[in-house]
Amino acid sequence: MRNFDSLIVWFISLLFISCFSSAFAFEKESEKIFRADNQREELRILSNTDLEYMEPIIKAFQQQNSSVSVLYTVASSRELYRAINNESADYDVVISSAMDLQMKLVNDGLAQQHDSDEVDKLPQWSRWGNSLFAFTQEPAVLLASRGGFGNLAMPQNRKELIELLRDNPEQFYGKVGTYDIRESGAGYLFATQDSRQSDAFWRLSEVIGSLSPRLYCCSSAMIKALRSGEILLAYNVVGSYASAVLDENEDGTIVSLTDYQIFMLRTALMPKTSRQPGLGGLFIDFLIDAGNRDLIDQQDGLPPINGDMFKKHQHYRPIALGPGLLVFLDKIKRKRFIEAWTEALLQP
Amino acid sequence: MDRGRFSSNSLGRRLLLQLLLVAAVLSALLYLAVRSVANQAAIAAHDNILGASATAIAEQLSASEGEVLIDIPYSAFSMLGAISEDRVFYRIDSDRTTITGYEDLPLPREVNARTAPQYYSSRFRDSDIRAVALERLITVDNLPVSVIIAVAQTRRGQDAITARVANTAAALGIGFFLVAGFMSWLATRSTVRPLHDVAGAIGRRGAHDLRDLKSPIPSELAPLVNSLNGFIARLRDALHRNETFMAEAAHHVRTPLATVRTQAEIALRQAETDESRKTLRSVIRAVDESSRSATQLLDHAMISYRSDQLARESFNYSELTADVIRGLIATAELKDLHIVSDIDTDLQYNGDKVLIECALHNMVDNAIKYSSDESRVDIRLNPVGGKIQFQVCDKGRGLGGSVQRDLTVRFKRGLNVSDVVGSGLGLTTVELVAQVHNGKFELVSRSGGGTCATLTL
């Protein structure tokens, strides 16, 4: 009798979950369908890249594959990870700038293998096995408002930046913005990789923390805040977004720090749950095809894969794809990092 | 001979098969050995890196405020990414509770890794994994707490190495087999060659060559060749005795025959009746025939004997020919034959002069004997393509349909010569002389009657 009761409870809860599962589903930011005239297939893409950057790529892809409609869903990198990891959401391609979370999906066996000529042509550093493929390399940069600086010199490296902030607290108090790494996957990736590069990261965090910084969910929000004059400095902004938005003669400017500059690789993978691996593979091949790099560069403002750049500029540091990325996703490591970061950034 | 070499009883084939079998076994052993050694090396190398990764994590363990502190270093995992693009799993247990990592990652059944890393293979999330477990004791609040660190990696990279090694090992094995096979073939050939050499040496010999085999032979073949030589010697003795016997017999017959002929001639002269004269003539004729046969038998025996041991010397062929013709000119004049000779002067030849003289004599004698009265015999001697050709042509009765092969057999005569005295040994002798000098003897009917005999030496 007890067994029967528990079975009923189990059934009811199952019913409940299936009815209201949408309530638990991951949070989408936006969604758009690019319908093909003679639609035969629908490619489902889940991405944390803003639609405006991907739209030219999708349209170019549809020019070559006129029977493919494309559903493009935008979600934050952590929601996107949750969608694939916890909910097995039905998507054919997953694009994200959070390399660590992408790596984790691959490592946990949630990505499919994809073999093609295009994959073979991809340089080794820009892919992991036959599962994770990078198609852009985007720097984390410092954004500054020229007007807000007055007659202060632009900092050239982190040491100068720390000195600048330490010496002019009244000018920058409440006027510095950065990622809230507790929310943003890309922000967490930038911060953790930053911490690996130099001790300056923690000193800089302490200084920023003393200036009551503003924390943002994403690069676009930081750029917006800078343009509106809400902040004078934004640290670790995705450079490609900034350069796409900011005009030459605008007040906001990108400062390239010369001690080191982290490059994040935007990667794509095919989830294991994809029901049309052929179609997903077609899109990934399109993304990584060397012939399409100019298209990505000029129309999207996303800098395509270019290994020569790292050879030319010694201070450009691409984040390596590999199991090392899993270290900061360890729950204890993450908890301790966020604790340390909170302690530094959110000073009472 | 070739068929014999590959028949089931062929020594060469048996030897080759056995050598190939040995080579195949060695190749297989080589393949397995290379594979297993290389795989062990690959596993050991992989294990070492897994061990280093786990040790790197263990080094960072500490205790603070009543709990174990874990700080996984970045290098612990990035070093695993450096060797292969394999998935990495880990698990850290403190006091038998998983505190971070993959809770369901299998541990060894009995963890015994306090002193040394414990390596093990298992399956996790549908993949084969290679894992290491490491145990450390951390003192928390004065009590030792056991911390177990397990780091695992899928084995795709290792499988790829294994496959590559297997290919290399297979190529090595096949290469070894091919080289060994080729060398086996060479060895077999050189081992069997003396046998073929002996067989060839015997096969190449002339019909009358009964010398001992003297070519160098391997010691294993010595008994065979010795007994073969013994056999040849017995054969030679038997033949020799035979020829000697015939020569003796011919000699013994000839002398009384001469006496009988002389007596018969005297009796013929004194005979009074035609009847008795006719009888005596046929007696003389029979005696002549017998005497001639005896002479040729002697010649033949002499030639047979000499052909075994040719006495080669350089002599003037032209003079020899002239001498032979001069010796027979009287006989020719008896039949009113006209002998036309066309002899190149000063032709030198290196051979057995006695034998050649005998051959020439037989040929010219034959021509005279079978020519019709008052006809003409042409004799020519001239060089033809590095050899010397001696040709006698008559206007006689020809070969009468017989074939040369038949006429050069001992005691065999043409079908149309029963009225002429002859033994059937003459042409046999010429043929033999041609053979021992590696020359050629040809007998052709002339158009318009007559025969041409050609001896090319």
Side-chain angles (χ1 to χ4, degrees):
Chain A
M1 207 55 196
R2 271 190 70 88
N3 271 347
F4 189 64
D5 278 349
S6 63
L7 203 66
I8 287 178
V9 170
W10 187 74
F11 246 111
I12 289 172
S13 51
L14 197 72
L15 207 67
F16 186 80
I17 288 169
S18 55
C19 285
F20 296 91
S21 61
S22 57
F24 302 115
F26 73 98
E27 195 181 314
K28 294 173 185 174
E29 286 174 11
S30 65
E31 196 160 65
K32 180 169 179 182
I33 293 183
F34 296 84
R35 207 164 290 289
D37 297 338
N38 47 346
Q39 177 187 345
R40 244 177 277 146
E41 296 159 296
E42 188 187 65
L43 173 68
R44 299 168 64 85
I45 302 174
L46 180 59
S47 167
N48 79 335
T49 311
D50 290 345
L51 181 63
E52 52 187 296
Y53 298 105
M54 287 301 286
E55 194 163 342
I57 299 181
I58 292 169
K59 291 212 161 131
F61 174 75
Q62 279 187 315
Q63 259 172 24
Q64 286 185 17
N65 304 276
S66 54
S67 65
V68 181
S69 286
V70 177
L71 172 80
Y72 191 79
T73 308
V74 181
S76 78
S77 54
R78 294 200 69 79
E79 284 301 311
L80 173 152
Y81 171 76
R82 217 161 62 81
I84 302 301
N85 191 50
N86 304 1
E87 298 171 23
S88 303
D90 177 22
Y91 284 98
D92 303 313
V93 175
V94 172
I95 295 171
S96 172
S97 54
M99 296 166 71
D100 46 358
L101 293 174
Q102 294 279 81
M103 189 65 213
K104 175 94 170 134
L105 288 176
V106 172
N107 193 63
D108 289 356
L110 298 172
Q112 288 191 30
Q113 304 264 337
H114 172 55
D115 295 296
S116 73
D117 292 346
E118 310 302 335
V119 169
D120 291 340
K121 280 183 224 152
L122 213 53
Q124 201 61 44
W125 60 269
S126 64
R127 65 181 167 117
W128 197 75
N130 285 337
S131 302
L132 192 57
F133 311 100
F135 65 101
T136 69
Q137 52 188 42
E138 304 172 39
V141 298
L142 177 70
L143 278 191
S145 155
R146 284 202 197 97
F149 264 64
N151 51 7
L152 293 172
M154 282 287 166
Q156 293 305 303
N157 51 46
R158 281 170 185 75
K159 191 166 164 262
E160 285 179 21
L161 178 61
I162 290 167
E163 282 165 7
L164 176 79
L165 295 177
R166 193 178 283 153
D167 296 346
N168 306 285
E170 62 290 340
Q171 197 160 353
F172 290 104
Y173 192 83
K175 295 279 186 186
V176 180
T178 190
Y179 269 116
D180 185 348
I181 68 165
R182 295 166 300 184
E183 282 185 34
S184 162
Y188 183 69
L189 176 69
F190 283 152
T192 51
Q193 293 295 327
D194 224 345
S195 75
R196 288 184 59 223
Q197 294 290 339
S198 146
D199 293 342
F201 171 74
W202 288 113
R203 277 187 278 129
L204 182 60
S205 299
E206 291 281 346
V207 176
I208 293 175
S210 70
L211 296 172
S212 179
R214 287 165 186 266
L215 300 178
Y216 296 90
C217 71
C218 26
S219 281
S220 48
M222 275 191 270
I223 294 165
K224 214 159 135 197
L226 186 93
R227 292 174 95 184
S228 70
E230 196 178 313
I231 51 175
L232 296 179
L233 268 178
Y235 183 68
N236 272 356
V237 178
V238 176
S240 44
Y241 286 179
S243 57
V245 173
L246 297 178
D247 288 338
E248 279 290 310
N249 46 9
E250 211 175 321
D251 177 52
T253 182
I254 295 172
V255 182
S256 180
L257 297 177
T258 54
D259 46 354
Y260 63 88
Q261 198 162 351
I262 291 172
F263 276 74
M264 153 273 271
L265 307 177
R266 199 175 290 273
T267 55
L269 62 81
M270 286 158 62
K272 205 139 218 179
T273 49
S274 163
R275 280 172 297 187
Q276 343 176 62
L279 201 55
L282 200 66
F283 187 71
I284 285 180
D285 284 348
F286 184 83
L287 281 182
I288 63 180
D289 185 352
N292 294 331
R293 284 184 193 160
D294 285 345
L295 176 94
I296 294 174
D297 194 14
Q298 284 157 18
Q299 301 205 14
D300 305 350
L302 298 180
I305 288 299
N306 178 8
D308 293 339
M309 208 185 228
F310 299 117
K311 281 180 204 146
K312 221 178 341 177
H313 302 283
Q314 295 292 315
H315 64 288
Y316 284 7
R317 309 273 158 78
I319 301 171
L321 286 170
L325 290 168
L326 304 175
V327 168
F328 281 106
L329 294 181
D330 177 73
K331 63 181 179 194
I332 294 178
K333 188 100 176 172
R334 179 176 162 86
K335 190 165 148 264
R336 282 163 58 95
F337 188 84
I338 288 181
E339 271 170 18
W341 179 86
T342 312
E343 215 169 281
L345 264 285
L346 306 177
Q347 295 169 13
Chain B
M1 199 154 87
D2 270 330
R3 231 168 45 127
R5 198 148 89 194
F6 292 106
S7 74
S8 62
N9 287 326
S10 155
L11 278 180
R13 201 169 86 155
R14 258 160 60 184
L15 186 61
L16 185 63
L17 277 179
Q18 279 169 12
L19 286 175
L20 285 181
L21 193 70
V22 171
V25 170
L26 286 179
S27 305
L29 285 178
L30 181 72
Y31 168 73
L32 293 175
V34 169
R35 245 187 90 154
S36 98
V37 168
N39 281 347
Q40 278 167 16
I43 290 174
H46 190 206
D47 281 357
N48 284 341
I49 294 176
L50 277 175
S53 169
T55 309
I57 297 171
E59 294 297 329
Q60 298 293 323
L61 290 176
S62 60
S64 167
E65 294 168 15
E67 60 171 4
V68 175
L69 282 186
I70 296 162
D71 184 16
I72 302 173
Y74 204 81
S75 59
F77 290 172
S78 61
M79 72 170 84
L80 293 174
I83 48 165
S84 65
E85 289 174 334
D86 268 301
R87 292 152 61 191
V88 173
F89 308 107
Y90 68 102
R91 166 181 174 174
I92 300 172
D93 284 19
S94 168
D95 223 3
R96 303 191 184 285
T97 328
T98 303
I99 48 175
T100 188
Y102 296 75
E103 289 172 23
D104 47 347
L105 183 71
L107 287 176
R109 215 167 293 148
E110 275 178 54
V111 179
N112 180 19
R114 250 176 233 182
T115 47
Q118 192 176 355
Y119 300 99
Y120 59 103
S121 299
S122 184
R123 267 188 86 76
F124 183 60
R125 300 202 176 177
D126 300 331
S127 295
D128 288 321
I129 54 165
R130 183 75 183 163
V132 62
L134 206 60
E135 189 174 6
R136 287 284 185 274
L137 291 175
I138 304 293
T139 308
V140 181
D141 293 341
N142 291 325
L143 284 173
V145 173
S146 156
V147 177
I148 294 169
I149 298 158
V151 179
Q153 209 173 10
T154 51
R155 305 184 61 153
R156 266 189 47 209
Q158 213 171 0
D159 290 346
I161 293 176
T162 307
R164 218 159 46 227
V165 165
N167 284 345
T168 311
L172 211 62
I174 290 171
F176 178 82
F177 179 74
L178 289 180
V179 170
F182 179 66
M183 284 164 76
S184 304
W185 179 69
L186 286 184
T188 308
R189 238 174 56 136
S190 82
T191 308
V192 180
R193 184 184 295 129
L195 271 177
H196 294 306
D197 286 350
V198 169
I202 296 173
R204 273 193 307 276
R205 288 189 161 201
H208 301 274
D209 189 350
L210 289 176
R211 285 168 301 159
D212 281 353
L213 284 170
K214 291 218 175 68
S215 50
I217 44 153
S219 55
E220 286 83 356
L221 281 183
L224 175 69
V225 171
N226 282 344
S227 47
L228 204 57
N229 278 343
F231 176 71
I232 291 173
R234 286 200 300 281
L235 197 63
R236 191 172 52 218
D237 285 350
L239 273 177
H240 191 67
R241 270 201 304 276
N242 215 359
E243 303 280 357
T244 314
F245 173 76
M246 278 203 311
E248 292 273 313
H251 183 71
H252 282 295
V253 166
R254 222 158 49 149
T255 318
L257 277 180
T259 318
V260 171
R261 193 182 195 280
T262 318
Q263 295 297 328
E265 271 177 359
I266 293 168
L268 180 63
R269 250 172 264 143
Q270 294 166 351
E272 286 167 0
T273 59
D274 282 352
E275 189 82 356
S276 54
R277 262 199 287 276
K278 194 181 168 194
T279 311
L280 282 169
R281 269 200 204 96
S282 71
V283 166
I284 290 172
R285 204 177 121 83
V287 168
D288 275 352
E289 198 168 326
S290 304
S291 164
R292 195 184 149 87
S293 289
T295 308
Q296 283 188 338
L297 269 176
L298 262 176
D299 281 354
H300 188 79
M302 187 260 296
I303 286 166
S304 294
Y305 176 71
R306 286 189 79 106
S307 67
D308 285 346
Q309 286 136 345
L310 272 188
R312 284 188 180 273
E313 59 177 316
S314 190
F315 62 91
N316 190 322
Y317 204 151
S318 312
E319 276 177 18
L320 181 73
T321 313
D323 286 348
V324 169
I325 296 171
R326 210 173 298 128
L328 284 166
I329 206 99
T331 326
E333 276 166 2
L334 280 180
K335 292 181 82 174
D336 287 330
L337 288 178
H338 182 47
I339 292 186
V340 184
S341 52
D342 169 19
I343 296 166
D344 282 17
T345 47
D346 284 335
L347 288 174
Q348 288 291 323
Y349 184 72
N350 187 23
D352 192 315
K353 190 178 174 186
V354 179
L355 289 188
I356 292 170
E357 182 178 5
C358 186
L360 300 187
H361 185 273
N362 273 336
M363 284 168 74
V364 178
D365 187 42
N366 256 355
I368 293 169
K369 201 163 69 182
Y370 294 112
S371 282
S372 346
D373 288 358
E374 294 177 26
S375 70
R376 144 182 186 160
V377 173
D378 290 292
I379 300 176
R380 287 195 304 111
L381 180 79
N382 52 337
V384 173
K387 298 200 162 191
I388 299 176
Q389 198 173 63
F390 175 75
Q391 192 175 52
V392 183
C393 294
D394 61 43
K395 290 271 182 189
R397 63 196 76 190
L399 299 177
S402 302
V403 188
Q404 180 184 1
R405 201 177 53 228
D406 294 336
L407 296 178
T408 50
V409 172
R410 278 190 198 188
F411 304 112
K412 183 100 181 208
R413 302 189 65 205
L415 305 169
N416 52 351
V417 294
S418 49
D419 57 329
V420 181
V421 175
S423 62
L425 273 172
L427 293 182
T428 316
T429 309
V430 179
E431 174 86 24
L432 197 60
V433 170
Q435 260 176 34
V436 300
H437 283 92
N438 290 326
K440 207 164 73 177
F441 175 56
E442 275 176 322
L443 209 52
V444 218
S445 287
R446 290 173 90 178
S447 52
T451 315
C452 266
T454 315
L455 176 68
T456 314
L457 297 178

